[in-house]
Amino acid sequence: MLNPTTEQRMLLSQTIKVYRRICRYLVGIVFTHWPELGKLSSEEQTPRVEGLMHASAKRPEVKYPQINRVFHKFPSYYRRAAISFAIGQVSSYMTRYRDWQAGNRKRRDAKPPRFNPNAGCYPTLYQGQCYKLHGLDAIDIKVFTGSDWVWTTVQITGLRQRHEIAGNKMLSPSLILNAKSCHLSVPFDCKPPKRKPNKNVVAVDLGINTTATVTVVTFDGTVIHREFIHPGRDIDRRDKRLKSVSTRASQTMGKGGNLHKGFCSNTYRKCRNINQQISHIVSKGIVQIAQQFNSDAIVFENLKGWKARGGRKRSHLRQRFHGWLKAMIRDFTEMKWRELGGKVIDVVAAYTSKLAYDGSGTVKRDSKNYALATFPSGKRINADLNGAYNIAARGILKLTRRNDSEDRFSQSSGRSPRSWACLCDLWTRDSLRLA
């Protein structure tokens, strides 16, 4: 996070503005010469485009000399970053247009893709030429004053943690400036360290009532940690905004009519941002638990392609299913955990919450409190917690199974433990080994 002064903010804004102008110029040049540029490799494309518009001592005459006159003293590294962006824009458009011509469309009447040269891009900064770091407190950035390019020192006020990990290499950042903040988007080349994990896994049961139920189970079936992660405040903020949409829709349409395109688009945008915040909070909590216990893996249910069956159309339950962040939480968790050298595995989701973890049979949900489950023995337990135990068992068996154990059957389900196992299968396996 950067903290520029009012004058520096104006200079950064002018720098981004002139960078976007030259990008629009270059997109047109690249598009015009794409039949020949498209055949070249990525290393050959940038110097070829530069030879079309940038005059030098060895190349006094170029095809588009007006660019050097309009963008006088434009830094070479900014120019090459703009050329790379323009090549990427044109290449993306041509690929999508060829797919459309070949008939690869979502709908038969889908319109061809549009070519948009006015993309809101941000300049890429190259070390030594576009920026210079002064430790982690300040940074020098080359900016445009309107007539010349000068250096300005901007204070750094906030950092993430990736630079603290040994082996991570910082790549060229992008300068991001909007109405609310100014910061550098810094990519890192991450090389995950080699880990020596303990013999346990973190199992996650993603639910509707409780966002994530997390358990840590050792390879012998001992539960050593349980935790519920549910950012209720953020969920309430999101649901309150979504509820206002239906109220405004009824006030706009009355008993009939149609809503205009883009109705409540700002509200939906805010709700998407809140969903991302919720997913980051939950995934960060899961990864912190995995770090605390030095777990071998994080185990999720395989919910890809899952569709809600319960709840009437336009009901509150259907809306909650529609806003279920199962995929986003899993993806964010995998990104964070793999960066630390861990692995994420998926197991069969069928009957994880329906089968009792002790092998006694099928559980019965409480009619008044669906979050509670009653075992055939009369024992009552949180249904999500029961599901998390079974998810952990299936993950452990998937990690440690051998050819001689794949055909061993579960007491409760009658199926192979690698796909329909319960926690009791770990106990049975260890007792057989000891015998």
Side-chain angles (χ1 to χ4, degrees):
M1 184 67 71
L2 303 180
N3 185 25
T5 63
T6 303
E7 182 182 356
Q8 288 175 335
R9 196 175 183 87
M10 291 179 61
L11 294 175
L12 295 173
S13 178
Q14 287 181 348
T15 303
I16 294 174
K17 186 176 179 180
V18 71
Y19 180 81
R20 289 179 176 178
R21 281 185 62 202
I22 196 170
C23 283
R24 287 197 296 271
Y25 274 90
L26 291 171
V27 164
I29 294 174
V30 173
F31 187 76
T32 303
H33 295 270
W34 188 250
E36 57 184 89
L37 291 173
K39 301 175 183 178
L40 303 177
S41 64
S42 57
E43 292 80 8
E44 297 172 327
Q45 287 174 338
T46 300
R48 182 65 64 88
V49 175
E50 203 168 25
L52 292 171
M53 42 77 67
H54 179 61
S56 63
K58 295 182 179 179
R59 190 176 53 239
E61 294 184 3
V62 292
K63 191 168 186 178
Y64 301 96
Q66 63 271 22
I67 291 184
N68 276 349
R69 292 197 296 267
V70 174
F71 301 97
H72 185 57
K73 293 184 178 180
F74 199 86
S76 59
Y77 281 83
Y78 275 123
R79 181 176 63 247
R80 288 164 190 166
I83 291 173
S84 298
F85 172 81
I87 291 171
Q89 285 289 101
V90 176
S91 177
S92 173
Y93 168 75
M94 295 303 295
T95 301
R96 289 182 286 114
Y97 188 77
R98 281 195 297 267
D99 288 342
W100 179 84
Q101 281 186 318
N104 299 330
R105 310 173 189 177
K106 292 183 178 180
R107 302 188 314 273
R108 294 180 62 183
D109 59 342
K111 294 182 180 180
R114 293 183 178 181
F115 183 58
N116 179 24
N118 296 315
C121 55
Y122 292 98
T124 302
L125 309 180
Y126 293 95
Q127 187 174 12
Q129 303 295 328
C130 304
Y131 80 95
K132 299 175 183 177
L133 273 174
H134 297 287
L136 298 176
D137 299 322
I139 182 173
D140 287 345
I141 302 177
K142 185 173 283 189
V143 296
F144 186 59
T145 63
S147 59
D148 198 5
W149 291 84
V150 298
W151 290 95
T152 183
T153 304
V154 184
Q155 183 184 6
I156 300 175
T157 57
L159 297 168
R160 295 286 179 91
Q161 291 78 33
R162 284 194 176 93
H163 66 283
E164 299 176 356
I165 302 174
N168 283 3
K169 181 181 178 182
M170 189 178 78
L171 304 180
S172 299
S174 297
L175 175 63
I176 310 297
L177 178 69
N178 52 41
K180 294 184 179 180
S181 65
C182 176
H183 65 275
L184 295 177
S185 177
V186 187
F188 278 84
D189 181 15
C190 300
K191 294 181 179 179
K194 292 183 179 180
R195 302 176 64 246
K196 293 182 179 180
N198 297 331
K199 293 185 177 182
N200 66 68
V201 299
V202 174
V204 184
D205 184 272
L206 300 175
I208 301 297
N209 297 319
T210 304
T211 306
T213 304
V214 185
T215 60
V216 183
V217 182
T218 61
F219 282 13
D220 61 1
T222 304
V223 180
I224 59 177
H225 183 75
R226 300 179 297 183
E227 189 170 327
F228 298 93
I229 303 177
H230 186 70
R233 181 178 296 180
D234 295 309
I235 293 172
D236 289 342
R237 284 197 303 126
R238 179 198 64 190
D239 293 344
K240 187 177 180 180
R241 282 175 167 80
L242 290 174
K243 183 63 177 177
S244 70
V245 173
S246 60
T247 304
R248 281 178 281 176
S250 61
Q251 292 173 348
T252 303
M253 294 189 304
K255 293 184 178 180
N258 296 318
L259 296 172
H260 63 83
K261 185 178 180 180
F263 179 77
C264 290
S265 59
N266 285 335
T267 302
Y268 284 119
R269 176 182 54 80
K270 291 177 182 178
C271 291
R272 286 194 298 270
N273 292 339
I274 294 173
N275 280 338
Q276 281 198 348
Q277 175 70 8
I278 293 169
S279 301
H280 278 299
I281 291 172
V282 175
S283 61
K284 183 178 180 180
I286 295 170
V287 171
Q288 285 177 343
I289 294 171
Q291 282 184 286
Q292 178 185 348
F293 291 92
N294 192 24
S295 299
D296 193 345
I298 299 177
V299 188
F300 285 93
E301 295 174 289
N302 187 0
L303 297 172
K304 188 175 182 179
W306 181 91
K307 292 184 180 180
R309 296 180 181 178
R312 299 189 307 274
K313 188 177 181 181
R314 297 179 182 174
S315 66
H316 180 63
L317 179 60
R318 181 57 66 91
Q319 183 178 356
R320 293 177 68 189
F321 275 125
H322 184 70
W324 192 14
L325 305 176
K326 59 185 188 303
M328 194 179 293
I329 292 173
R330 188 219 173 276
D331 292 343
F332 285 172
T333 303
E334 184 174 18
M335 293 175 191
K336 293 178 174 68
W337 187 229
R338 285 192 182 278
E339 189 174 323
L340 298 174
K343 53 188 172 184
V344 175
I345 60 176
D346 297 299
V347 297
V348 176
Y351 288 87
T352 50
S353 298
K354 195 169 184 179
L355 296 175
Y357 73 85
D358 61 0
S360 58
T362 304
V363 303
K364 184 179 180 181
R365 292 292 185 96
D366 193 299
S367 59
K368 294 183 179 179
N369 187 358
Y370 199 68
L372 287 177
T374 305
F375 288 7
S377 60
K379 180 180 178 179
R380 303 184 74 190
I381 190 175
N382 183 282
D384 294 333
L385 202 57
N386 176 67
Y389 291 162
N390 292 334
I391 292 169
R394 297 180 186 186
I396 291 170
L397 289 168
K398 192 171 184 178
L399 286 170
T400 61
R401 70 176 186 261
R402 297 178 180 176
N403 293 332
D404 58 352
S405 66
E406 288 187 358
D407 295 329
R408 190 175 299 155
F409 291 92
S410 170
Q411 297 176 4
S412 58
S413 63
R415 292 180 180 266
S416 174
R418 59 180 171 157
S419 59
W420 285 65
C422 298
L423 188 62
C424 63
D425 291 296
L426 297 181
W427 307 336
T428 306
R429 182 187 64 171
D430 286 344
S431 62
L432 290 173
R433 284 180 181 175
L434 292 173

